[in-house]
Amino acid sequence: MAPRGENNIVVVPNMKLEKVFCMKGGNGEGSYANNSQAQARHARSMLHLLKETLDGVQLTSPDVPFTVVDLGCSSGSNTIFTIETIIKHMSKRYEEAGFKPPEFSAFFSDLPSNDFNTLFQLLPPIADPGVSMEEYLAAKGHRSYFAAAVPGSFYKRLFPRRSINLFHSAFSLHWLSQVPDCVVDKQSTAYNEGRVFIQGANEGTASAYKKQFQTDLSGFLRSRAQEMMSGGSMFLVCLGRTSVDPTDQGGAGLLFGTHFQDAWNDLVLEGLITSEKRDNFNIPVYAPSIQDFKEVVEANGSFTINKLEVFKGGSPLVVNQPDDEAEVGRALANSCRTVAGVLVDAHIGEELSKELFLRVERKGTSHAKEVLEQIQFFHIVASLSFA
């Protein structure tokens, strides 16, 4: 059992982060399933880049199953759409080459705390084995692949050696495996006093976040290099930044470093939590620059960079009526809660967590126009091939 701190709240050490962290599960207002439409839009706008990567994947024998993995799949329908897009495209490639498409396996992978139940309830039933690929592609409501869940951190090994043809990961690699220990250490020059994110932090904090990102991405690439088949590829998308300054985290910085930050400060000023309690909470996210990403890939040496670019994704908020300030406020709170709510709950408890996100909502409502105009995400898009 995890140790308990003030007010009987469960304390989550860094080493336990991978066991508790996940996007908000279920189908409620704050769930990832109901707040990932922006990610869906961003992913669809990058489909041409994904298909370019798929065109470079080496076709294997039709007698051998073709295996696809989505790393950081979460619990909504986005991952299912992506997997089906990949399989349809690869099936077409086999047919155009004059081969019967192979059987396909799809692994949906995320941390053990991910809501796999909600995800698998969204999966369509598998098609009759006797149905041809042509009949499947013309039909709707069924899938032509075998599906399985693989819980675990993608910064470690997840699959047998030389077993995977294609890895896909979208909107996940900016999440660090842990908050650097020195960031919450009062004796360290990297101590992120007064902040809950890297945005606007000191040089020591920025250096610690960057080093953690480099360590994590190195582990990710090292693991994939052992698991991928020769001729395989990876398509990776994560939050990125256009500034050379790591403390300017772009859209992520505005999401977590403004109204979310101010809401934490309010809890301190109102005496609901101590300043130390606030300072011991940091969002484990690092939006890299292209150079940050490139340096790690080149240092690993196992992958060829086919494409590496910054792609403008747009707003992360789900808003139907932009002129409705209250809706904008709710959207901001839901966006923060969806991705960080589990961590906030673990740190200060559900009741104070509700108070925090209520304040985020109020601040978002009061600054609705600025929120919509300024919180814009950029993504690093990488297409890598394995020799």
Side-chain angles (χ1 to χ4, degrees), residues 11-14 178-197 204-205 208-209 275-284 347:
V11 178
V12 184
N14 273 330
Q178 65 174 62
V179 173
D181 290 332
C182 56
V183 167
V184 292
D185 179 1
K186 281 186 173 182
Q187 306 305 314
S188 172
T189 56
Y191 184 49
N192 200 20
E193 185 176 9
R195 293 184 176 85
V196 296
F197 190 46
T205 302
Y209 264 84
S275 59
E276 184 177 5
K277 189 72 174 176
R278 175 199 58 202
D279 296 347
N280 282 336
F281 179 88
N282 273 253
I283 294 288
H347 191 72

PDB file of all heavy atoms in Angstrom, residues 11-14 178-197 204-205 208-209 275-284 347:
ATOM      1  N   VAL A  11       0.139   9.298  -0.903  1.00  0.00           N
ATOM      2  CA  VAL A  11       1.325   9.909  -1.488  1.00  0.00           C
ATOM      3  C   VAL A  11       1.823   9.001  -2.603  1.00  0.00           C
ATOM      4  O   VAL A  11       1.978   7.802  -2.407  1.00  0.00           O
ATOM      5  CB  VAL A  11       2.440  10.081  -0.424  1.00  0.00           C
ATOM      6  CG1 VAL A  11       3.691  10.672  -1.056  1.00  0.00           C
ATOM      7  CG2 VAL A  11       1.947  10.961   0.714  1.00  0.00           C
ATOM      8  N   VAL A  12       2.067   9.573  -3.775  1.00  0.00           N
ATOM      9  CA  VAL A  12       2.475   8.774  -4.928  1.00  0.00           C
ATOM     10  C   VAL A  12       3.934   9.059  -5.249  1.00  0.00           C
ATOM     11  O   VAL A  12       4.257  10.060  -5.881  1.00  0.00           O
ATOM     12  CB  VAL A  12       1.602   9.085  -6.161  1.00  0.00           C
ATOM     13  CG1 VAL A  12       1.984   8.168  -7.315  1.00  0.00           C
ATOM     14  CG2 VAL A  12       0.132   8.918  -5.820  1.00  0.00           C
ATOM     15  N   PRO A  13       4.853   8.186  -4.808  1.00  0.00           N
ATOM     16  CA  PRO A  13       6.248   8.398  -5.154  1.00  0.00           C
ATOM     17  C   PRO A  13       6.444   8.244  -6.659  1.00  0.00           C
ATOM     18  O   PRO A  13       5.657   7.596  -7.340  1.00  0.00           O
ATOM     19  CB  PRO A  13       6.983   7.289  -4.392  1.00  0.00           C
ATOM     20  CG  PRO A  13       5.965   6.482  -3.692  1.00  0.00           C
ATOM     21  CD  PRO A  13       4.613   6.979  -4.045  1.00  0.00           C
ATOM     22  N   ASN A  14       7.541   8.823  -7.178  1.00  0.00           N
ATOM     23  CA  ASN A  14       7.801   8.742  -8.606  1.00  0.00           C
ATOM     24  C   ASN A  14       7.826   7.321  -9.126  1.00  0.00           C
ATOM     25  O   ASN A  14       7.366   7.024 -10.211  1.00  0.00           O
ATOM     26  CB  ASN A  14       9.143   9.425  -8.926  1.00  0.00           C
ATOM     27  CG  ASN A  14       8.977  10.915  -9.166  1.00  0.00           C
ATOM     28  OD1 ASN A  14       7.938  11.341  -9.628  1.00  0.00           O
ATOM     29  ND2 ASN A  14       9.998  11.698  -8.855  1.00  0.00           N
ATOM     30  N   GLN A 178       8.676  10.000 -14.995  1.00  0.00           N
ATOM     31  CA  GLN A 178       8.589  10.505 -13.632  1.00  0.00           C
ATOM     32  C   GLN A 178       8.947  11.993 -13.615  1.00  0.00           C
ATOM     33  O   GLN A 178       9.564  12.507 -14.552  1.00  0.00           O
ATOM     34  CB  GLN A 178       9.552   9.760 -12.712  1.00  0.00           C
ATOM     35  CG  GLN A 178      11.021   9.983 -13.060  1.00  0.00           C
ATOM     36  CD  GLN A 178      11.957   9.355 -12.041  1.00  0.00           C
ATOM     37  OE1 GLN A 178      11.952   8.140 -11.862  1.00  0.00           O
ATOM     38  NE2 GLN A 178      12.736  10.181 -11.363  1.00  0.00           N
ATOM     39  N   VAL A 179       8.534  12.667 -12.552  1.00  0.00           N
ATOM     40  CA  VAL A 179       9.015  14.018 -12.296  1.00  0.00           C
ATOM     41  C   VAL A 179      10.438  13.880 -11.763  1.00  0.00           C
ATOM     42  O   VAL A 179      10.680  13.082 -10.852  1.00  0.00           O
ATOM     43  CB  VAL A 179       8.136  14.739 -11.259  1.00  0.00           C
ATOM     44  CG1 VAL A 179       8.742  16.083 -10.883  1.00  0.00           C
ATOM     45  CG2 VAL A 179       6.719  14.907 -11.780  1.00  0.00           C
ATOM     46  N   PRO A 180      11.402  14.583 -12.329  1.00  0.00           N
ATOM     47  CA  PRO A 180      12.770  14.485 -11.808  1.00  0.00           C
ATOM     48  C   PRO A 180      12.806  14.750 -10.305  1.00  0.00           C
ATOM     49  O   PRO A 180      12.209  15.717  -9.822  1.00  0.00           O
ATOM     50  CB  PRO A 180      13.521  15.579 -12.588  1.00  0.00           C
ATOM     51  CG  PRO A 180      12.728  15.767 -13.844  1.00  0.00           C
ATOM     52  CD  PRO A 180      11.295  15.539 -13.460  1.00  0.00           C
ATOM     53  N   ASP A 181      13.492  13.896  -9.572  1.00  0.00           N
ATOM     54  CA  ASP A 181      13.520  14.011  -8.111  1.00  0.00           C
ATOM     55  C   ASP A 181      13.992  15.383  -7.649  1.00  0.00           C
ATOM     56  O   ASP A 181      13.464  15.953  -6.680  1.00  0.00           O
ATOM     57  CB  ASP A 181      14.439  12.933  -7.519  1.00  0.00           C
ATOM     58  CG  ASP A 181      13.850  11.537  -7.651  1.00  0.00           C
ATOM     59  OD1 ASP A 181      12.607  11.419  -7.692  1.00  0.00           O
ATOM     60  OD2 ASP A 181      14.631  10.573  -7.724  1.00  0.00           O
ATOM     61  N   CYS A 182      14.990  15.945  -8.336  1.00  0.00           N
ATOM     62  CA  CYS A 182      15.568  17.214  -7.885  1.00  0.00           C
ATOM     63  C   CYS A 182      14.589  18.383  -8.000  1.00  0.00           C
ATOM     64  O   CYS A 182      14.739  19.403  -7.310  1.00  0.00           O
ATOM     65  CB  CYS A 182      16.833  17.522  -8.682  1.00  0.00           C
ATOM     66  SG  CYS A 182      16.616  17.568 -10.475  1.00  0.00           S
ATOM     67  N   VAL A 183      13.564  18.229  -8.827  1.00  0.00           N
ATOM     68  CA  VAL A 183      12.596  19.304  -9.040  1.00  0.00           C
ATOM     69  C   VAL A 183      11.743  19.539  -7.793  1.00  0.00           C
ATOM     70  O   VAL A 183      11.236  20.635  -7.569  1.00  0.00           O
ATOM     71  CB  VAL A 183      11.711  18.975 -10.275  1.00  0.00           C
ATOM     72  CG1 VAL A 183      10.505  19.888 -10.359  1.00  0.00           C
ATOM     73  CG2 VAL A 183      12.537  19.090 -11.551  1.00  0.00           C
ATOM     74  N   VAL A 184      11.580  18.501  -6.978  1.00  0.00           N
ATOM     75  CA  VAL A 184      10.787  18.632  -5.748  1.00  0.00           C
ATOM     76  C   VAL A 184      11.663  18.531  -4.498  1.00  0.00           C
ATOM     77  O   VAL A 184      11.175  18.296  -3.395  1.00  0.00           O
ATOM     78  CB  VAL A 184       9.662  17.572  -5.706  1.00  0.00           C
ATOM     79  CG1 VAL A 184       8.626  17.853  -6.772  1.00  0.00           C
ATOM     80  CG2 VAL A 184      10.217  16.161  -5.864  1.00  0.00           C
ATOM     81  N   ASP A 185      12.964  18.737  -4.684  1.00  0.00           N
ATOM     82  CA  ASP A 185      13.917  18.688  -3.574  1.00  0.00           C
ATOM     83  C   ASP A 185      14.303  20.111  -3.186  1.00  0.00           C
ATOM     84  O   ASP A 185      14.938  20.836  -3.955  1.00  0.00           O
ATOM     85  CB  ASP A 185      15.155  17.889  -4.001  1.00  0.00           C
ATOM     86  CG  ASP A 185      16.205  17.809  -2.896  1.00  0.00           C
ATOM     87  OD1 ASP A 185      15.971  18.350  -1.797  1.00  0.00           O
ATOM     88  OD2 ASP A 185      17.266  17.206  -3.154  1.00  0.00           O
ATOM     89  N   LYS A 186      13.919  20.528  -1.983  1.00  0.00           N
ATOM     90  CA  LYS A 186      14.182  21.896  -1.525  1.00  0.00           C
ATOM     91  C   LYS A 186      15.664  22.255  -1.529  1.00  0.00           C
ATOM     92  O   LYS A 186      16.030  23.424  -1.648  1.00  0.00           O
ATOM     93  CB  LYS A 186      13.632  22.096  -0.114  1.00  0.00           C
ATOM     94  CG  LYS A 186      12.140  22.336  -0.045  1.00  0.00           C
ATOM     95  CD  LYS A 186      11.750  22.677   1.386  1.00  0.00           C
ATOM     96  CE  LYS A 186      10.295  23.084   1.496  1.00  0.00           C
ATOM     97  NZ  LYS A 186       9.937  23.467   2.883  1.00  0.00           N
ATOM     98  N   GLN A 187      16.527  21.273  -1.390  1.00  0.00           N
ATOM     99  CA  GLN A 187      17.958  21.526  -1.311  1.00  0.00           C
ATOM    100  C   GLN A 187      18.606  21.642  -2.691  1.00  0.00           C
ATOM    101  O   GLN A 187      19.783  21.974  -2.801  1.00  0.00           O
ATOM    102  CB  GLN A 187      18.641  20.390  -0.526  1.00  0.00           C
ATOM    103  CG  GLN A 187      18.050  20.123   0.844  1.00  0.00           C
ATOM    104  CD  GLN A 187      18.008  21.360   1.713  1.00  0.00           C
ATOM    105  OE1 GLN A 187      18.998  22.097   1.786  1.00  0.00           O
ATOM    106  NE2 GLN A 187      16.879  21.615   2.368  1.00  0.00           N
ATOM    107  N   SER A 188      17.833  21.362  -3.742  1.00  0.00           N
ATOM    108  CA  SER A 188      18.380  21.350  -5.096  1.00  0.00           C
ATOM    109  C   SER A 188      18.199  22.693  -5.796  1.00  0.00           C
ATOM    110  O   SER A 188      17.205  23.396  -5.584  1.00  0.00           O
ATOM    111  CB  SER A 188      17.695  20.248  -5.921  1.00  0.00           C
ATOM    112  OG  SER A 188      18.060  20.331  -7.293  1.00  0.00           O
ATOM    113  N   THR A 189      19.158  23.045  -6.656  1.00  0.00           N
ATOM    114  CA  THR A 189      19.026  24.257  -7.457  1.00  0.00           C
ATOM    115  C   THR A 189      17.939  24.097  -8.523  1.00  0.00           C
ATOM    116  O   THR A 189      17.518  25.080  -9.133  1.00  0.00           O
ATOM    117  CB  THR A 189      20.354  24.597  -8.163  1.00  0.00           C
ATOM    118  OG1 THR A 189      20.769  23.466  -8.954  1.00  0.00           O
ATOM    119  CG2 THR A 189      21.439  24.914  -7.145  1.00  0.00           C
ATOM    120  N   ALA A 190      17.485  22.860  -8.729  1.00  0.00           N
ATOM    121  CA  ALA A 190      16.418  22.593  -9.703  1.00  0.00           C
ATOM    122  C   ALA A 190      15.034  22.629  -9.056  1.00  0.00           C
ATOM    123  O   ALA A 190      14.028  22.391  -9.734  1.00  0.00           O
ATOM    124  CB  ALA A 190      16.639  21.228 -10.362  1.00  0.00           C
ATOM    125  N   TYR A 191      14.974  22.914  -7.756  1.00  0.00           N
ATOM    126  CA  TYR A 191      13.688  22.949  -7.043  1.00  0.00           C
ATOM    127  C   TYR A 191      12.742  23.939  -7.721  1.00  0.00           C
ATOM    128  O   TYR A 191      13.059  25.107  -7.895  1.00  0.00           O
ATOM    129  CB  TYR A 191      13.924  23.354  -5.584  1.00  0.00           C
ATOM    130  CG  TYR A 191      12.694  23.344  -4.713  1.00  0.00           C
ATOM    131  CD1 TYR A 191      11.831  22.248  -4.690  1.00  0.00           C
ATOM    132  CD2 TYR A 191      12.416  24.432  -3.888  1.00  0.00           C
ATOM    133  CE1 TYR A 191      10.718  22.240  -3.862  1.00  0.00           C
ATOM    134  CE2 TYR A 191      11.305  24.427  -3.050  1.00  0.00           C
ATOM    135  CZ  TYR A 191      10.454  23.334  -3.046  1.00  0.00           C
ATOM    136  OH  TYR A 191       9.343  23.327  -2.225  1.00  0.00           O
ATOM    137  N   ASN A 192      11.568  23.450  -8.107  1.00  0.00           N
ATOM    138  CA  ASN A 192      10.620  24.261  -8.869  1.00  0.00           C
ATOM    139  C   ASN A 192       9.653  24.977  -7.920  1.00  0.00           C
ATOM    140  O   ASN A 192       8.438  24.784  -7.986  1.00  0.00           O
ATOM    141  CB  ASN A 192       9.861  23.373  -9.865  1.00  0.00           C
ATOM    142  CG  ASN A 192       9.229  24.170 -10.987  1.00  0.00           C
ATOM    143  OD1 ASN A 192       9.614  25.303 -11.266  1.00  0.00           O
ATOM    144  ND2 ASN A 192       8.242  23.583 -11.648  1.00  0.00           N
ATOM    145  N   GLU A 193      10.196  25.815  -7.078  1.00  0.00           N
ATOM    146  CA  GLU A 193       9.405  26.473  -6.041  1.00  0.00           C
ATOM    147  C   GLU A 193       8.350  27.394  -6.639  1.00  0.00           C
ATOM    148  O   GLU A 193       8.625  28.198  -7.528  1.00  0.00           O
ATOM    149  CB  GLU A 193      10.320  27.277  -5.118  1.00  0.00           C
ATOM    150  CG  GLU A 193       9.593  27.909  -3.938  1.00  0.00           C
ATOM    151  CD  GLU A 193      10.545  28.612  -2.980  1.00  0.00           C
ATOM    152  OE1 GLU A 193      11.740  28.746  -3.323  1.00  0.00           O
ATOM    153  OE2 GLU A 193      10.079  29.036  -1.897  1.00  0.00           O
ATOM    154  N   GLY A 194       7.111  27.248  -6.145  1.00  0.00           N
ATOM    155  CA  GLY A 194       6.026  28.121  -6.560  1.00  0.00           C
ATOM    156  C   GLY A 194       5.359  27.725  -7.860  1.00  0.00           C
ATOM    157  O   GLY A 194       4.408  28.381  -8.285  1.00  0.00           O
ATOM    158  N   ARG A 195       5.831  26.645  -8.491  1.00  0.00           N
ATOM    159  CA  ARG A 195       5.271  26.234  -9.786  1.00  0.00           C
ATOM    160  C   ARG A 195       4.909  24.754  -9.776  1.00  0.00           C
ATOM    161  O   ARG A 195       5.476  23.967  -9.025  1.00  0.00           O
ATOM    162  CB  ARG A 195       6.270  26.495 -10.915  1.00  0.00           C
ATOM    163  CG  ARG A 195       6.549  27.963 -11.173  1.00  0.00           C
ATOM    164  CD  ARG A 195       7.483  28.132 -12.378  1.00  0.00           C
ATOM    165  NE  ARG A 195       7.690  29.534 -12.693  1.00  0.00           N
ATOM    166  CZ  ARG A 195       8.597  30.307 -12.117  1.00  0.00           C
ATOM    167  NH1 ARG A 195       9.381  29.794 -11.175  1.00  0.00           N
ATOM    168  NH2 ARG A 195       8.721  31.578 -12.450  1.00  0.00           N
ATOM    169  N   VAL A 196       3.981  24.413 -10.682  1.00  0.00           N
ATOM    170  CA  VAL A 196       3.591  23.011 -10.827  1.00  0.00           C
ATOM    171  C   VAL A 196       3.933  22.486 -12.225  1.00  0.00           C
ATOM    172  O   VAL A 196       3.539  21.390 -12.596  1.00  0.00           O
ATOM    173  CB  VAL A 196       2.076  22.811 -10.566  1.00  0.00           C
ATOM    174  CG1 VAL A 196       1.720  23.152  -9.132  1.00  0.00           C
ATOM    175  CG2 VAL A 196       1.236  23.621 -11.554  1.00  0.00           C
ATOM    176  N   PHE A 197       4.698  23.295 -12.983  1.00  0.00           N
ATOM    177  CA  PHE A 197       5.092  22.895 -14.329  1.00  0.00           C
ATOM    178  C   PHE A 197       6.393  23.605 -14.689  1.00  0.00           C
ATOM    179  O   PHE A 197       6.816  24.535 -14.015  1.00  0.00           O
ATOM    180  CB  PHE A 197       3.978  23.235 -15.334  1.00  0.00           C
ATOM    181  CG  PHE A 197       4.178  22.654 -16.708  1.00  0.00           C
ATOM    182  CD1 PHE A 197       4.562  21.330 -16.886  1.00  0.00           C
ATOM    183  CD2 PHE A 197       3.977  23.431 -17.844  1.00  0.00           C
ATOM    184  CE1 PHE A 197       4.748  20.791 -18.151  1.00  0.00           C
ATOM    185  CE2 PHE A 197       4.150  22.902 -19.113  1.00  0.00           C
ATOM    186  CZ  PHE A 197       4.543  21.578 -19.269  1.00  0.00           C
ATOM    187  N   GLY A 204      17.883  25.413 -13.813  1.00  0.00           N
ATOM    188  CA  GLY A 204      18.103  24.098 -13.209  1.00  0.00           C
ATOM    189  C   GLY A 204      16.921  23.170 -13.407  1.00  0.00           C
ATOM    190  O   GLY A 204      17.084  21.981 -13.721  1.00  0.00           O
ATOM    191  N   THR A 205      15.712  23.705 -13.223  1.00  0.00           N
ATOM    192  CA  THR A 205      14.496  22.917 -13.435  1.00  0.00           C
ATOM    193  C   THR A 205      14.391  22.484 -14.893  1.00  0.00           C
ATOM    194  O   THR A 205      14.096  21.323 -15.197  1.00  0.00           O
ATOM    195  CB  THR A 205      13.249  23.728 -13.043  1.00  0.00           C
ATOM    196  OG1 THR A 205      13.344  24.123 -11.678  1.00  0.00           O
ATOM    197  CG2 THR A 205      11.983  22.905 -13.250  1.00  0.00           C
ATOM    198  N   ALA A 208      16.745  19.709 -15.706  1.00  0.00           N
ATOM    199  CA  ALA A 208      16.315  18.421 -15.140  1.00  0.00           C
ATOM    200  C   ALA A 208      15.209  17.794 -15.970  1.00  0.00           C
ATOM    201  O   ALA A 208      15.208  16.576 -16.219  1.00  0.00           O
ATOM    202  CB  ALA A 208      15.827  18.636 -13.697  1.00  0.00           C
ATOM    203  N   TYR A 209      14.245  18.598 -16.408  1.00  0.00           N
ATOM    204  CA  TYR A 209      13.162  18.089 -17.256  1.00  0.00           C
ATOM    205  C   TYR A 209      13.724  17.564 -18.586  1.00  0.00           C
ATOM    206  O   TYR A 209      13.345  16.497 -19.064  1.00  0.00           O
ATOM    207  CB  TYR A 209      12.143  19.195 -17.530  1.00  0.00           C
ATOM    208  CG  TYR A 209      10.947  19.198 -16.610  1.00  0.00           C
ATOM    209  CD1 TYR A 209      10.997  19.809 -15.355  1.00  0.00           C
ATOM    210  CD2 TYR A 209       9.747  18.606 -16.994  1.00  0.00           C
ATOM    211  CE1 TYR A 209       9.889  19.830 -14.514  1.00  0.00           C
ATOM    212  CE2 TYR A 209       8.636  18.628 -16.176  1.00  0.00           C
ATOM    213  CZ  TYR A 209       8.713  19.241 -14.934  1.00  0.00           C
ATOM    214  OH  TYR A 209       7.613  19.248 -14.111  1.00  0.00           O
ATOM    215  N   SER A 275       1.936  25.713   0.774  1.00  0.00           N
ATOM    216  CA  SER A 275       2.758  25.993  -0.404  1.00  0.00           C
ATOM    217  C   SER A 275       3.666  24.807  -0.710  1.00  0.00           C
ATOM    218  O   SER A 275       3.955  24.512  -1.875  1.00  0.00           O
ATOM    219  CB  SER A 275       3.595  27.253  -0.188  1.00  0.00           C
ATOM    220  OG  SER A 275       4.438  27.117   0.942  1.00  0.00           O
ATOM    221  N   GLU A 276       4.091  24.108   0.334  1.00  0.00           N
ATOM    222  CA  GLU A 276       4.941  22.928   0.126  1.00  0.00           C
ATOM    223  C   GLU A 276       4.172  21.825  -0.610  1.00  0.00           C
ATOM    224  O   GLU A 276       4.724  21.134  -1.467  1.00  0.00           O
ATOM    225  CB  GLU A 276       5.443  22.408   1.471  1.00  0.00           C
ATOM    226  CG  GLU A 276       6.407  21.230   1.334  1.00  0.00           C
ATOM    227  CD  GLU A 276       6.960  20.768   2.669  1.00  0.00           C
ATOM    228  OE1 GLU A 276       6.512  21.304   3.708  1.00  0.00           O
ATOM    229  OE2 GLU A 276       7.826  19.885   2.673  1.00  0.00           O
ATOM    230  N   LYS A 277       2.885  21.681  -0.255  1.00  0.00           N
ATOM    231  CA  LYS A 277       2.064  20.675  -0.935  1.00  0.00           C
ATOM    232  C   LYS A 277       1.960  21.002  -2.425  1.00  0.00           C
ATOM    233  O   LYS A 277       2.062  20.115  -3.276  1.00  0.00           O
ATOM    234  CB  LYS A 277       0.665  20.645  -0.302  1.00  0.00           C
ATOM    235  CG  LYS A 277      -0.211  19.491  -0.781  1.00  0.00           C
ATOM    236  CD  LYS A 277       0.287  18.170  -0.215  1.00  0.00           C
ATOM    237  CE  LYS A 277      -0.659  17.032  -0.553  1.00  0.00           C
ATOM    238  NZ  LYS A 277      -0.133  15.732  -0.083  1.00  0.00           N
ATOM    239  N   ARG A 278       1.764  22.265  -2.731  1.00  0.00           N
ATOM    240  CA  ARG A 278       1.722  22.678  -4.140  1.00  0.00           C
ATOM    241  C   ARG A 278       3.050  22.402  -4.823  1.00  0.00           C
ATOM    242  O   ARG A 278       3.102  21.853  -5.927  1.00  0.00           O
ATOM    243  CB  ARG A 278       1.394  24.164  -4.232  1.00  0.00           C
ATOM    244  CG  ARG A 278       1.451  24.736  -5.651  1.00  0.00           C
ATOM    245  CD  ARG A 278       1.585  26.256  -5.631  1.00  0.00           C
ATOM    246  NE  ARG A 278       2.783  26.665  -4.898  1.00  0.00           N
ATOM    247  CZ  ARG A 278       2.957  27.872  -4.362  1.00  0.00           C
ATOM    248  NH1 ARG A 278       2.017  28.794  -4.470  1.00  0.00           N
ATOM    249  NH2 ARG A 278       4.074  28.163  -3.711  1.00  0.00           N
ATOM    250  N   ASP A 279       4.140  22.787  -4.188  1.00  0.00           N
ATOM    251  CA  ASP A 279       5.452  22.679  -4.811  1.00  0.00           C
ATOM    252  C   ASP A 279       5.895  21.226  -4.999  1.00  0.00           C
ATOM    253  O   ASP A 279       6.793  20.948  -5.804  1.00  0.00           O
ATOM    254  CB  ASP A 279       6.498  23.428  -3.982  1.00  0.00           C
ATOM    255  CG  ASP A 279       6.219  24.928  -3.930  1.00  0.00           C
ATOM    256  OD1 ASP A 279       5.379  25.400  -4.726  1.00  0.00           O
ATOM    257  OD2 ASP A 279       6.827  25.615  -3.090  1.00  0.00           O
ATOM    258  N   ASN A 280       5.299  20.318  -4.251  1.00  0.00           N
ATOM    259  CA  ASN A 280       5.620  18.897  -4.403  1.00  0.00           C
ATOM    260  C   ASN A 280       4.839  18.234  -5.534  1.00  0.00           C
ATOM    261  O   ASN A 280       4.982  17.035  -5.776  1.00  0.00           O
ATOM    262  CB  ASN A 280       5.342  18.141  -3.100  1.00  0.00           C
ATOM    263  CG  ASN A 280       6.446  18.362  -2.081  1.00  0.00           C
ATOM    264  OD1 ASN A 280       7.580  18.687  -2.444  1.00  0.00           O
ATOM    265  ND2 ASN A 280       6.124  18.203  -0.810  1.00  0.00           N
ATOM    266  N   PHE A 281       3.998  19.042  -6.209  1.00  0.00           N
ATOM    267  CA  PHE A 281       3.262  18.522  -7.368  1.00  0.00           C
ATOM    268  C   PHE A 281       3.817  19.169  -8.633  1.00  0.00           C
ATOM    269  O   PHE A 281       3.885  20.402  -8.730  1.00  0.00           O
ATOM    270  CB  PHE A 281       1.767  18.831  -7.260  1.00  0.00           C
ATOM    271  CG  PHE A 281       0.965  18.328  -8.436  1.00  0.00           C
ATOM    272  CD1 PHE A 281       0.453  17.048  -8.447  1.00  0.00           C
ATOM    273  CD2 PHE A 281       0.749  19.135  -9.557  1.00  0.00           C
ATOM    274  CE1 PHE A 281      -0.273  16.569  -9.529  1.00  0.00           C
ATOM    275  CE2 PHE A 281       0.028  18.682 -10.645  1.00  0.00           C
ATOM    276  CZ  PHE A 281      -0.481  17.385 -10.634  1.00  0.00           C
ATOM    277  N   ASN A 282       4.241  18.356  -9.580  1.00  0.00           N
ATOM    278  CA  ASN A 282       4.697  18.873 -10.870  1.00  0.00           C
ATOM    279  C   ASN A 282       4.135  17.995 -11.979  1.00  0.00           C
ATOM    280  O   ASN A 282       4.094  16.758 -11.856  1.00  0.00           O
ATOM    281  CB  ASN A 282       6.221  18.878 -10.952  1.00  0.00           C
ATOM    282  CG  ASN A 282       6.834  20.151 -10.397  1.00  0.00           C
ATOM    283  OD1 ASN A 282       7.327  21.001 -11.122  1.00  0.00           O
ATOM    284  ND2 ASN A 282       6.785  20.298  -9.063  1.00  0.00           N
ATOM    285  N   ILE A 283       3.698  18.634 -13.059  1.00  0.00           N
ATOM    286  CA  ILE A 283       3.194  17.898 -14.212  1.00  0.00           C
ATOM    287  C   ILE A 283       4.379  17.258 -14.947  1.00  0.00           C
ATOM    288  O   ILE A 283       5.294  17.967 -15.384  1.00  0.00           O
ATOM    289  CB  ILE A 283       2.442  18.838 -15.179  1.00  0.00           C
ATOM    290  CG1 ILE A 283       1.174  19.381 -14.515  1.00  0.00           C
ATOM    291  CG2 ILE A 283       2.085  18.114 -16.477  1.00  0.00           C
ATOM    292  CD1 ILE A 283       0.065  18.372 -14.355  1.00  0.00           C
ATOM    293  N   PRO A 284       4.388  15.929 -15.120  1.00  0.00           N
ATOM    294  CA  PRO A 284       5.516  15.251 -15.772  1.00  0.00           C
ATOM    295  C   PRO A 284       5.423  15.283 -17.298  1.00  0.00           C
ATOM    296  O   PRO A 284       5.324  14.250 -17.968  1.00  0.00           O
ATOM    297  CB  PRO A 284       5.402  13.817 -15.232  1.00  0.00           C
ATOM    298  CG  PRO A 284       3.944  13.619 -15.010  1.00  0.00           C
ATOM    299  CD  PRO A 284       3.405  14.964 -14.566  1.00  0.00           C
ATOM    300  N   HIS A 347      -2.714  13.361  -5.340  1.00  0.00           N
ATOM    301  CA  HIS A 347      -1.861  14.261  -4.566  1.00  0.00           C
ATOM    302  C   HIS A 347      -2.624  15.018  -3.479  1.00  0.00           C
ATOM    303  O   HIS A 347      -2.109  15.183  -2.362  1.00  0.00           O
ATOM    304  CB  HIS A 347      -1.192  15.268  -5.504  1.00  0.00           C
ATOM    305  CG  HIS A 347      -0.100  16.063  -4.858  1.00  0.00           C
ATOM    306  ND1 HIS A 347       1.123  15.514  -4.525  1.00  0.00           N
ATOM    307  CD2 HIS A 347      -0.033  17.381  -4.480  1.00  0.00           C
ATOM    308  CE1 HIS A 347       1.885  16.434  -3.963  1.00  0.00           C
ATOM    309  NE2 HIS A 347       1.199  17.583  -3.927  1.00  0.00           N
TER     310      HIS A 347
END
